Amino acid sequence: QQQVKQSPQSLIVQKGGISIINCAYENTAFDYFPWYQQFPGKGPALLIAIRPDVSEKKEGRFTISFNKSAKQFSLHIMDSQPGDSATYFCAAIEGNTPLVFGKGTRLSVIA
Amino acid sequence: EAGVTQSPTHLIKTRGQQATLRCSPISGHTSVYWYQQALGLGLQFLLWYDEGEERNRGNFPPRFSGRQFPNYSSELNVNALELEDSALYLCASSPSQGWDEQYFGPGTRLTVT
């Protein structure tokens, strides 16, 4: 049973465009929602995270939007660059229990 | 500061054999987590060790086991290897029970033939 559903599976964006990746969850007890970025041959790296008491968090070109009532959260990458090409994973956690990951989105930013 | 290290980088085994994967956490981190990243399945939680004890395990059979040593490094053992065990095995570490502060290593690519 997949607890965090991520879409799309793959995404192609023009350089300078906005990349948007969406995640949905069912467990209302989740209290922390991180996004990880993974380059080929590397382990995932924490990119940005949000807690459900805020609706948006921005760090540089990366923004998380959180909709508690809809049980959805999304990652927006503004001014997307070829160096942003990677696989992105959303995740969720409830207290001190294991992270639950989405299946990932492979982003390709083309010039 | 050195990150999480894993060895070996690649491992090729035959079905039925045993595999041993190793992880060294970031200095000062006492929690170690193991994940399996199989193609198309995302990251699946395997095991969590903290202060030398197994604290939680994911939905994997008992032939997946491990341990944490006094220096907080960790070992993942997979017995009776099956073809579907072929995956990237990732180790992460954090300060004690810091699920929201995990740092991942580069992984060990296990191929079972």
Side-chain angles (χ1 to χ4, degrees):
Chain A
Q1 181 184 5
Q2 187 186 359
Q3 296 188 51
V4 179
K5 294 186 178 180
Q6 183 172 348
S7 63
Q9 192 172 354
S10 63
L11 183 61
I12 299 174
V13 173
Q14 292 276 353
K15 179 183 175 182
I18 302 173
S19 303
I20 302 174
I21 304 170
N22 300 299
C23 285
Y25 64 96
E26 288 297 323
N27 183 0
T28 55
F30 284 144
D31 56 8
Y32 180 73
F33 301 88
W35 284 88
Y36 286 84
Q37 180 189 55
Q38 185 178 28
F39 292 105
K42 303 285 188 182
L46 179 63
L47 188 62
I48 187 172
I50 197 168
R51 296 198 183 272
D53 53 345
V54 298
S55 60
E56 185 176 281
K57 183 174 182 179
K58 184 176 181 179
E59 289 184 2
R61 296 183 295 109
F62 300 90
T63 300
I64 299 179
S65 296
F66 187 82
N67 187 329
K68 191 173 182 178
S69 61
K71 293 185 284 187
Q72 295 176 347
F73 58 111
S74 60
L75 176 69
H76 296 236
I77 306 175
M78 312 301 286
D79 187 28
S80 298
Q81 299 296 314
D84 297 330
S85 297
T87 299
Y88 293 81
F89 293 94
C90 63
I93 189 172
E94 174 190 351
N96 230 8
T97 59
L99 274 167
V100 177
F101 285 87
K103 291 192 175 183
T105 296
R106 180 172 290 183
L107 171 65
S108 297
V109 181
I110 56 175
Chain B
E1 178 184 289
V4 177
T5 59
Q6 293 186 245
S7 63
T9 304
H10 294 93
L11 191 57
I12 300 174
K13 293 287 186 177
T14 303
R15 200 171 71 178
Q17 287 187 317
Q18 178 195 29
T20 298
L21 289 65
R22 296 179 177 84
C23 172
S24 292
I26 291 172
S27 176
H29 286 187
T30 62
S31 275
V32 171
Y33 314 81
W34 288 96
Y35 294 86
Q36 181 193 68
Q37 187 175 21
L39 202 60
L41 294 179
L43 284 82
Q44 306 288 320
F45 166 71
L46 263 167
L47 289 160
W48 168 32
Y49 293 94
D50 181 62
E51 298 284 356
E53 300 285 329
E54 180 181 305
R55 303 294 184 181
N56 204 335
R57 68 178 291 129
N59 189 24
F60 282 84
R63 57 192 187 82
F64 287 84
S65 66
R67 54 180 171 167
Q68 187 177 33
F69 299 99
N71 67 353
Y72 304 114
S73 67
S74 178
E75 192 174 89
L76 174 69
N77 295 293
V78 188
N79 295 318
L81 284 165
E82 300 179 2
L83 296 178
E84 51 266 34
D85 297 333
S86 294
L88 180 68
Y89 288 84
L90 292 161
C91 170
S93 75
S94 78
S96 183
Q97 304 190 31
W99 278 96
D100 56 353
E101 300 177 72
Q102 293 184 49
Y103 294 86
F104 285 82
T108 291
R109 173 71 62 185
L110 173 63
T111 302
V112 183
T113 62

